[in-house]
Amino acid sequence: MNDSGFDRYSRQLLFAGIGPVGQQKLLDARVTLVGCGALGSFQAAALARAGVGNIRIVDRDYVELSNLQRQWLFDENDAAEAAPKAVAAKRQIARLNSTLHVDAAIADLTAANADELLEGSEIVLDGTDNFETRYLLNDYCVRAGIPWIYGGAVGSYGITMPVVPGRTSCFACVYPKPPSGAQPTCETAGVLGSATALVAALQVSAAMKWIVSGEAPTGITTVDVWSGEIRRVEQPPPDLACRACGRRDFTWLESRRRTPISMCGRDAVQIHELTRPVDLAELAARLRPLGQVRCNEFALRFETPPWLLTVFPDGRVIVKGTTDAAVARSLYARYIGA
Ligand SMILES: [Zn+2]
């Protein structure tokens, strides 16, 4: 570390938990962020300011005006040009700490590219918006022995939990199955920027502590920024019967799940990743404030220009208006729920 490094990080060097040795570990560290929305953009900025030397940002989406309320790193120019989030994040980080190495990957994390995107990470931070990607991330990290920090937020509520393979329960221990039925999402129930920032701040602290000490604060922490309630419950130990960390069955890495299919010549993508039924009437009620909804017992059609989503009771969705599977999956996560 040179003199400007000592100056830049002086308040962190004074902190007993970090000091010069810890700061050097941060400068040498390699961290991957999966998803660069509300959680990921806060994580990226905080890690960059703290001097984490190698940051890879993976995101499949682009910046929109409605992101700016909570996605700390982006500005009106990014939204006006619909910049890919990973690229916009890298550009903004260069302005606040030009000494780091940032790698922007415009990609949807899948079984096929997980190795390429996650290999060599010291720790991975979750900034995703759906259970499927988290199961995939969990399978990869448990198999590779890489810790990752789960985080999620909706409304004024947030949750975070570290997964340290071999030491703590993993994501599949705690959530053996995705929640059934349509779930509230940030697009249907809204989300406060203070809730996502708080969750992301806890994730960043856990990552920094892991990097400097090889320990992470364990426990499942839930927060509600509207009521002011913060709770922490003990995290169970690894479950011997767990599919992932117990039986080491890494289903999500083996692409046994159905993948999105571009529908030839139709400017549409079919998504059928889940095998759970959807209550169309309930979904219609949630989507009605957001666009035009037509619904009968066979299908629900939801129009949010330029896209048209057709949802079938078995959970299958056809997204018209794109041939890009990443865009279709993003719309699916937004409106149907993870
Ligand atoms: Zn497990």
Side-chain angles (χ1 to χ4, degrees):
M1 202 179 347
N2 57 25
D3 287 351
S4 67
F6 273 104
D7 190 24
R8 181 191 287 266
Y9 305 117
S10 58
R11 301 307 187 272
Q12 234 166 241
L13 294 168
L14 289 167
F15 176 66
I18 296 181
V21 174
Q23 186 62 51
Q24 191 57 51
K25 288 181 180 172
L26 292 173
L27 290 167
D28 295 337
R30 184 170 295 276
V31 177
T32 301
L33 313 182
V34 179
C36 194
L39 296 176
S41 59
F42 186 102
Q43 294 160 3
L47 291 172
R49 288 182 191 277
V52 169
N54 302 279
I55 304 172
R56 167 170 286 171
I57 300 168
V58 181
D59 193 275
R60 64 188 179 186
D61 214 348
Y62 56 85
V63 182
E64 297 170 282
L65 191 61
S66 67
N67 299 155
L68 302 186
Q69 162 258 352
R70 66 197 177 286
Q71 302 191 11
W72 298 80
L73 205 46
F74 307 132
D75 63 27
E76 291 181 356
N77 288 334
D78 298 323
E81 65 175 90
K85 289 182 182 179
V87 171
K90 178 176 176 165
R91 194 165 58 194
Q92 298 280 20
I93 286 172
R95 294 198 187 115
L96 55 93
N97 191 343
S98 61
T99 67
L100 312 173
H101 180 257
V102 179
D103 176 21
I106 306 169
D108 190 20
L109 182 73
T110 64
N113 63 18
D115 253 329
E116 182 195 335
L117 294 172
L118 302 176
E119 199 175 23
S121 309
E122 229 160 285
I123 189 163
V124 179
L125 297 193
D126 172 26
T128 69
D129 57 3
N130 64 87
F131 265 76
E132 284 68 36
T133 310
R134 290 185 182 115
Y135 283 125
L136 172 63
L137 183 54
N138 186 68
D139 277 10
Y140 184 89
C141 287
V142 168
R143 192 181 68 177
I146 298 170
W148 71 282
I149 316 288
Y150 162 55
V154 65
S156 60
Y157 172 84
I159 183 166
T160 180
M161 176 184 85
V163 173
V164 183
R167 292 197 210 170
T168 69
S169 49
C170 81
F171 190 70
C173 292
V174 177
Y175 301 102
K177 287 188 176 130
S180 60
Q183 297 298 305
T185 71
C186 295
E187 271 66 25
T188 55
V191 64
L192 296 180
S194 51
T196 49
L198 180 49
V199 169
L202 292 170
Q203 291 177 285
V204 166
S205 307
M208 288 173 64
K209 187 172 178 182
W210 173 263
I211 291 164
V212 302
S213 72
E215 301 284 337
T218 59
I220 302 169
T221 304
T222 59
V223 302
D224 187 328
V225 296
W226 211 244
S227 69
E229 200 165 58
I230 299 181
R231 287 186 181 188
R232 190 174 158 281
V233 297
E234 286 303 318
Q235 190 172 354
D239 180 354
L240 293 175
C242 168
R243 169 191 59 77
C245 70
R247 305 203 312 268
R248 302 193 73 76
D249 167 9
F250 302 115
T251 309
W252 293 84
L253 289 177
E254 287 155 19
S255 300
R256 278 190 239 145
R257 319 295 299 202
R258 274 169 280 203
T259 50
I261 302 162
S262 286
M263 301 177 78
C264 194
R266 277 198 49 198
D267 189 27
V269 177
Q270 175 178 281
I271 305 259
H272 196 179
E273 294 183 331
L274 304 178
T275 50
R276 60 169 162 78
V278 169
D279 182 339
L280 295 183
E282 184 203 317
L283 183 62
R286 279 198 295 122
L287 293 176
R288 230 162 238 130
L290 306 171
Q292 197 187 357
V293 176
R294 280 168 294 160
C295 183
N296 61 28
E297 64 192 288
F298 306 110
L300 178 154
R301 284 165 74 81
F302 172 58
E303 200 163 357
T304 177
W307 301 289
L308 174 65
L309 278 69
T310 305
V311 186
F312 299 91
D314 63 357
R316 187 167 58 90
V317 179
I318 293 172
V319 180
K320 190 165 170 50
T322 184
T323 52
D324 184 339
V327 170
R329 291 179 73 178
S330 173
L331 291 165
Y332 186 96
R334 247 187 233 185
Y335 293 112
I336 314 305

